[in-house]
Amino acid sequence: MELHNVWFVLIAFLWIGYFFLEGFDFGIGILTRLLARDRTEKRVLINTIGPVWDGNEVWLITAGGATFAAFPEWYATLFSGFYLPLLIILVCLIIRGVAFEYRAKRPEERWQRTWETAIFWTSLIPAFLWGVAFGNIVHGVKIDSEFEYVGNVWDLLNPYALLGGLVTLTLFTFHGAVFAALKTVGDIRGRARQMALRVGLVAAVLALVFLLWTQVDGGDGKSLVALVVAVAALVAALVANQAGREGWSFTLSGLTIVAAVTMLFLTLFPNVMPSTLDADWSLTVTNASSSPYTLKIMTWLTVIAAPVIMLYQGWTYWVFRKRIGTQHIADPVH
C-alpha cells in the first residue's frame, strides 16, 4: 500500500476515534440540560467526563495536524472553504473547556448556571456542525480547477449535510445517554436508560435515511457492509439498553459510530474532497498529498508515538472506571 493511502486510513482512524470518544463527551454536555433535574445531578454528569474530556480532544488536534502534514492541499481547501463552521466549532470548544474549569470556581447560582448553559450549547453546536461538515466533504463541494472552494457558506447548508448534522447530534446524544447509564448509580441511571431509548429511536431513523442516501449516492460493496454493521449495531445497542446491559449498549453504540464513519470514508476514497463542478477537479489522495519523504518521516514518528499515547489514554479510563452518583458529590468549599 502506498504511503498516501496509508495516511488516508490513519486520518480516518483518528476521526473515528475522535467521534467515538468526543461523541459521548458531547452527549453528556447536552444531557446536562435534558437529563439532570438539579445542580447536583449536573455535577454528576459533568464528573463522569471530568477526567477524560480534554484527552478526547487530543484526537481532533492530531487529526487536524495529520491532515495538514500529509495532505496540505486538502487541509488548505477544507479550512478555507469551511472557515466559518470550523471557526464556530473552535470557539465552542474553547468556551466549553473554560466552562468545565470555571463552573465551580464561585458559589453563586447565576455564575454556575451561566457556565452550565455554556456547556450545553457548546456541546450541541459542534455535535451538529461536525455532521454538516462531513456531509459536505463526502457529498462534494464547489471546487474549481485550482483546487479552491468557490462556493459560499449557504452552499454548505444543503439537505444532505443538514441531515448529517441531525444524525451526529442525535447519535452523540444517544451515545452520551448510554455512557451516563454506564457511569452512574441511582435514579439518574434509570432515567439515562429511558432517555437513551427515546433519543436512540430518533437517531436510528435519521441514520438509516442518511446512510442509505450515502450508499445510493456513491457507495459500493464495502460501504454497504459498513452500513449494515452500523444499523445492526444501533438496533442491538437499543436492545441491550432496554435489558440493562449498559456495557454492551455502550460498546454497540460506539460500534455504530465506528461503522458509520468508516462508511463515509469508504465512500469518499480515493477522493478527499470531491468537486461538484467537475470530477477532474476533485482533491484525491494522490494530488493532495505531501511528498513521499515527508510521509515516510511521519510514518516512523507515528509508529513510535501513537502506541504510547493510546496506552496512556486507556490507562486514564481504567483509573476512572467506577460509577458515581449524587451521594458521591461533596458540598462545594470556596
Side-chain angles (χ1 to χ4, degrees):
M1 182 183 292
E2 297 184 17
L3 283 179
H4 52 71
N5 292 336
V6 171
W7 273 95
F8 180 86
V9 173
L10 289 175
I11 289 172
F13 173 75
L14 291 171
W15 280 110
I16 290 169
Y18 174 68
F19 286 137
F20 179 95
L21 296 172
E22 195 81 310
F24 71 76
D25 198 321
F26 286 143
I28 290 294
I30 295 169
L31 291 171
T32 55
R33 174 164 294 189
L34 302 181
L35 181 62
R37 290 178 173 174
D38 53 36
R39 182 144 292 113
T40 301
E41 289 191 349
K42 289 183 180 180
R43 290 178 63 190
V44 169
L45 290 176
I46 292 172
N47 286 355
T48 62
I49 60 172
V52 298
W53 68 267
D54 48 355
N56 294 344
E57 293 184 356
V58 171
W59 289 75
L60 171 62
I61 298 170
T62 308
T67 304
F68 172 78
F71 298 100
E73 287 283 358
W74 184 12
Y75 182 92
T77 304
L78 176 66
F79 277 78
S80 60
F82 294 19
Y83 182 82
L84 182 58
L86 291 178
L87 177 63
I88 293 173
I89 290 174
L90 177 61
V91 171
C92 284
L93 294 180
I94 293 172
I95 295 174
R96 189 169 182 265
V98 173
F100 281 133
E101 298 296 334
Y102 275 52
R103 177 192 168 278
K105 295 299 184 183
R106 292 174 58 178
E108 292 88 347
E109 181 178 349
R110 182 179 179 182
W111 171 273
Q112 296 188 3
R113 187 170 61 247
T114 299
W115 289 117
E116 288 164 0
T117 300
I119 290 172
F120 171 76
W121 285 109
T122 56
S123 298
L124 185 148
I125 293 172
F128 176 74
L129 288 181
W130 278 129
V132 173
F134 269 82
N136 280 289
I137 291 173
V138 174
H139 196 61
V141 291
K142 295 178 179 179
I143 299 175
D144 65 11
S145 59
E146 300 296 324
F147 300 137
E148 295 182 0
Y149 177 73
V150 293
N152 56 55
V153 69
W154 302 111
D155 293 326
L156 302 178
L157 302 179
N158 55 79
Y160 177 82
L162 292 174
L163 177 59
L166 292 176
V167 170
T168 52
L169 176 60
T170 54
L171 195 55
F172 289 172
T173 305
F174 169 68
H175 198 37
V178 172
F179 182 76
L182 176 65
K183 288 287 293 180
T184 58
V185 295
D187 181 56
I188 192 172
R189 177 186 176 188
R191 284 187 282 111
R193 286 168 52 191
Q194 295 173 4
M195 177 67 70
L197 175 62
R198 293 195 294 270
V199 177
L201 290 173
V202 176
V205 174
L206 294 174
L208 179 60
V209 175
F210 179 74
L211 295 180
L212 284 174
W213 190 344
T214 304
Q215 179 65 25
V216 171
D217 195 40
D220 56 14
K222 294 179 181 178
S223 62
L224 180 60
V225 172
L227 185 156
V228 172
V229 172
V231 173
L234 183 51
V235 172
L238 287 167
V239 173
N241 175 72
Q242 285 302 99
R245 303 296 297 271
E246 290 99 345
W248 277 106
S249 184
F250 178 73
T251 301
L252 289 164
S253 68
L255 178 59
T256 301
I257 295 174
V258 170
V261 180
T262 298
M263 180 189 176
L264 296 182
F265 276 96
L266 287 172
T267 304
L268 184 62
F269 185 81
N271 294 321
V272 292
M273 282 191 76
S275 173
T276 57
L277 300 179
D278 190 323
D280 292 335
W281 298 343
S282 297
L283 287 168
T284 68
V285 293
T286 304
N287 63 25
S289 69
S290 293
S291 67
Y293 181 75
T294 300
L295 296 179
K296 184 177 180 179
I297 296 297
M298 290 174 59
T299 303
W300 279 111
L301 292 174
T302 301
V303 168
I304 296 170
V308 176
I309 296 172
M310 294 180 67
L311 285 172
Y312 174 77
Q313 190 167 23
W315 175 78
T316 303
Y317 277 93
W318 174 256
V319 170
F320 296 100
R321 66 189 182 277
K322 293 184 178 180
R323 296 176 182 266
I324 62 174
T326 54
Q327 68 272 24
H328 299 118
I329 303 299
D331 293 332
V333 177
H334 296 275

